[in-house]
Amino acid sequence: MNLDLGSVIVGAIILIVCILPFILIGRSRKKREKHFLQSLSNIANQHNCQINQHEIFGTFAIGMDKVHNAVFFCRQFKDEMIEQYVDLTKIKNCKVINTGRTLKSKDGHKKVTDKLELGFSPSVKDKPEVKWEFFNADINFQPNGELLSMENWSKTINNRIKLIH
Protein backbone atom coordinates (compact mmCIF):
# COMPACT_ATOMS: atom_id res chain seq x y z
CA MET A 1 0.00 0.00 0.00
CA ASN A 2 1.46 3.30 -1.08
CA LEU A 3 0.22 6.47 0.67
CA ASP A 4 1.23 9.89 -0.46
CA LEU A 5 1.85 12.78 1.94
CA GLY A 6 -1.45 14.48 1.03
CA SER A 7 -3.51 11.43 2.11
CA VAL A 8 -1.65 11.22 5.42
CA ILE A 9 -2.23 14.93 6.13
CA VAL A 10 -5.96 14.69 5.26
CA GLY A 11 -6.27 11.61 7.51
CA ALA A 12 -4.51 13.42 10.36
CA ILE A 13 -6.79 16.46 9.98
CA ILE A 14 -9.91 14.27 9.99
CA LEU A 15 -8.64 12.48 13.12
CA ILE A 16 -7.98 15.79 14.90
CA VAL A 17 -11.41 17.15 13.95
CA CYS A 18 -13.04 13.98 15.34
CA ILE A 19 -11.06 13.94 18.60
CA LEU A 20 -11.05 17.68 19.38
CA PRO A 21 -14.69 17.91 20.62
CA PHE A 22 -14.04 15.15 23.17
CA ILE A 23 -10.94 16.93 24.45
CA LEU A 24 -12.80 20.24 24.75
CA ILE A 25 -15.76 18.61 26.53
CA GLY A 26 -13.40 16.87 28.96
CA ARG A 27 -11.60 20.13 29.75
CA SER A 28 -14.91 21.93 30.25
CA ARG A 29 -16.16 19.21 32.62
CA LYS A 30 -12.94 19.28 34.65
CA LYS A 31 -13.08 23.08 34.88
CA ARG A 32 -16.73 22.93 36.03
CA GLU A 33 -15.92 20.22 38.61
CA LYS A 34 -13.00 22.26 39.94
CA HIS A 35 -15.29 25.32 40.22
CA PHE A 36 -17.93 23.33 42.16
CA LEU A 37 -15.36 21.76 44.48
CA GLN A 38 -13.91 25.23 45.15
CA SER A 39 -17.41 26.53 45.98
CA LEU A 40 -18.02 23.61 48.37
CA SER A 41 -14.64 24.22 50.01
CA ASN A 42 -15.41 27.94 50.39
CA ILE A 43 -18.72 27.22 52.15
CA ALA A 44 -17.02 24.66 54.38
CA ASN A 45 -14.20 27.07 55.27
CA GLN A 46 -16.76 29.70 56.30
CA HIS A 47 -18.02 27.21 58.90
CA ASN A 48 -14.56 25.97 59.96
CA CYS A 49 -15.11 22.66 58.17
CA GLN A 50 -13.54 20.63 55.40
CA ILE A 51 -15.09 18.55 52.65
CA ASN A 52 -14.15 14.88 53.05
CA GLN A 53 -16.94 13.35 50.96
CA HIS A 54 -18.54 14.96 47.91
CA GLU A 55 -20.34 14.46 44.64
CA ILE A 56 -20.45 16.78 41.66
CA PHE A 57 -23.42 16.21 39.43
CA GLY A 58 -24.40 18.37 36.47
CA THR A 59 -25.55 21.69 37.90
CA PHE A 60 -24.99 20.93 41.59
CA ALA A 61 -22.48 19.65 44.10
CA ILE A 62 -22.98 18.27 47.59
CA GLY A 63 -20.37 17.57 50.22
CA MET A 64 -20.02 16.52 53.83
CA ASP A 65 -17.65 17.10 56.72
CA LYS A 66 -17.93 13.92 58.80
CA VAL A 67 -15.83 15.33 61.63
CA HIS A 68 -18.00 18.42 62.19
CA ASN A 69 -21.25 16.77 61.01
CA ALA A 70 -22.10 19.33 58.37
CA VAL A 71 -23.42 19.10 54.83
CA PHE A 72 -22.83 21.66 52.07
CA PHE A 73 -24.61 22.24 48.78
CA CYS A 74 -24.05 24.50 45.80
CA ARG A 75 -26.06 24.80 42.64
CA GLN A 76 -25.36 26.75 39.50
CA PHE A 77 -28.40 28.72 38.35
CA LYS A 78 -27.71 30.84 35.29
CA ASP A 79 -24.71 32.98 36.34
CA GLU A 80 -25.39 32.64 40.07
CA MET A 81 -23.91 30.05 42.44
CA ILE A 82 -26.39 29.19 45.21
CA GLU A 83 -24.55 27.97 48.32
CA GLN A 84 -26.16 26.32 51.36
CA TYR A 85 -25.10 24.69 54.62
CA VAL A 86 -26.77 22.46 57.22
CA ASP A 87 -25.45 21.57 60.67
CA LEU A 88 -26.53 17.94 61.13
CA THR A 89 -26.40 18.20 64.94
CA LYS A 90 -29.56 20.33 64.63
CA ILE A 91 -31.37 18.00 62.20
CA LYS A 92 -33.80 15.18 63.05
CA ASN A 93 -33.82 13.55 59.60
CA CYS A 94 -33.29 14.04 55.89
CA LYS A 95 -35.69 12.97 53.15
CA VAL A 96 -36.11 13.13 49.40
CA ILE A 97 -39.06 15.30 48.34
CA ASN A 98 -40.33 14.30 44.92
CA THR A 99 -42.98 16.78 43.81
CA GLY A 100 -44.86 15.87 40.68
CA ARG A 101 -48.17 15.35 39.00
CA THR A 102 -49.93 12.58 37.17
CA LEU A 103 -50.84 13.08 33.54
CA LYS A 104 -53.48 11.14 31.68
CA SER A 105 -52.42 9.77 28.32
CA LYS A 106 -53.67 7.20 25.84
CA ASP A 107 -51.33 4.65 27.46
CA GLY A 108 -52.68 5.30 30.96
CA HIS A 109 -51.36 7.52 33.71
CA LYS A 110 -47.83 8.85 33.76
CA LYS A 111 -46.09 10.55 36.70
CA VAL A 112 -44.14 13.68 35.78
CA THR A 113 -41.52 15.05 38.18
CA ASP A 114 -41.72 18.81 38.69
CA LYS A 115 -39.20 19.22 41.47
CA LEU A 116 -36.69 17.13 43.44
CA GLU A 117 -35.51 18.43 46.79
CA LEU A 118 -33.60 17.17 49.78
CA GLY A 119 -35.52 18.17 52.91
CA PHE A 120 -33.88 18.57 56.32
CA SER A 121 -36.28 18.39 59.29
CA PRO A 122 -34.91 20.33 62.26
CA SER A 123 -34.77 18.83 65.76
CA VAL A 124 -36.47 21.96 67.14
CA LYS A 125 -40.14 21.97 66.16
CA ASP A 126 -40.54 25.73 65.63
CA LYS A 127 -37.75 25.86 63.03
CA PRO A 128 -38.71 25.53 59.34
CA GLU A 129 -37.65 22.61 57.17
CA VAL A 130 -34.59 23.37 55.03
CA LYS A 131 -34.92 22.36 51.38
CA TRP A 132 -32.20 22.02 48.76
CA GLU A 133 -33.44 21.96 45.18
CA PHE A 134 -31.67 19.43 42.96
CA PHE A 135 -34.06 19.49 40.03
CA ASN A 136 -36.77 21.85 38.79
CA ALA A 137 -38.75 21.13 35.61
CA ASP A 138 -39.04 24.88 34.96
CA ILE A 139 -35.24 25.01 34.60
CA ASN A 140 -34.20 21.53 33.43
CA PHE A 141 -35.83 19.44 30.73
CA GLN A 142 -36.00 16.17 32.69
CA PRO A 143 -34.29 14.49 35.65
CA ASN A 144 -31.06 12.77 34.74
CA GLY A 145 -29.98 10.66 37.71
CA GLU A 146 -30.61 13.31 40.36
CA LEU A 147 -33.15 11.11 42.18
CA LEU A 148 -30.69 8.24 42.66
CA SER A 149 -28.00 10.65 43.83
CA MET A 150 -30.41 12.26 46.30
CA GLU A 151 -31.56 8.89 47.65
CA ASN A 152 -27.93 7.90 48.26
CA TRP A 153 -27.17 11.20 50.00
CA SER A 154 -30.35 11.02 52.09
CA LYS A 155 -29.30 7.56 53.30
CA THR A 156 -25.73 8.73 54.02
CA ILE A 157 -26.96 11.82 55.87
CA ASN A 158 -29.53 9.87 57.93
CA ASN A 159 -26.85 7.33 58.89
CA ARG A 160 -24.67 10.24 60.02
CA ILE A 161 -27.55 11.74 62.03
CA LYS A 162 -28.08 8.37 63.80
CA LEU A 163 -24.39 8.36 64.81
CA ILE A 164 -24.69 11.89 66.24
CA HIS A 165 -27.87 11.40 68.31
Side-chain angles (χ1 to χ4, degrees), residues 20-142:
L20 191 60
F22 294 105
I23 293 170
L24 295 176
I25 289 169
R27 279 188 180 172
S28 175
R29 183 178 47 84
K30 289 218 183 279
K31 184 178 177 183
R32 187 184 81 245
E33 287 177 358
K34 186 177 179 181
H35 179 67
F36 272 118
L37 192 54
Q38 186 61 50
S39 291
L40 282 177
S41 294
N42 289 344
I43 307 166
N45 289 338
Q46 292 170 13
H47 298 279
N48 298 317
C49 296
Q50 292 182 0
I51 302 297
N52 47 38
Q53 180 179 353
H54 73 278
E55 179 180 12
I56 299 166
F57 195 100
T59 60
F60 69 84
I62 184 169
M64 179 186 289
D65 181 328
K66 292 180 180 179
V67 175
H68 295 99
N69 298 307
V71 183
F72 308 92
F73 177 75
C74 58
R75 181 167 189 229
Q76 185 77 42
F77 179 69
K78 296 184 182 176
D79 292 334
E80 180 185 4
M81 183 66 80
I82 298 163
E83 299 176 340
Q84 296 173 294
Y85 151 83
V86 167
D87 179 351
L88 294 179
T89 63
K90 298 176 181 177
I91 299 298
K92 180 174 52 175
N93 68 15
C94 174
K95 66 182 179 223
V96 174
I97 303 168
N98 186 345
T99 307
R101 55 198 150 90
T102 304
L103 299 177
K104 237 181 183 179
S105 70
K106 63 180 179 183
D107 300 328
H109 292 21
K110 181 180 177 184
K111 183 170 182 197
V112 176
T113 300
D114 290 325
K115 194 183 284 191
L116 293 172
E117 298 170 299
L118 211 49
F120 296 89
S121 301
S123 301
V124 179
K125 292 185 188 214
D126 64 338
K127 298 278 184 183
E129 182 177 46
V130 175
K131 294 180 182 179
W132 291 352
E133 186 178 273
F134 283 64
F135 169 80
N136 186 325
D138 294 335
I139 299 166
N140 306 93
F141 180 63
Q142 66 181 22

Side-chain angles (χ1 to χ4, degrees), residues 141-160:
F141 180 63
Q142 66 181 22
N144 186 23
E146 290 92 344
L147 183 59
L148 180 60
S149 173
M150 292 172 63
E151 288 170 344
N152 289 337
W153 275 98
S154 177
K155 183 178 177 183
T156 299
I157 291 167
N158 281 319
N159 287 339
R160 192 83 208 150

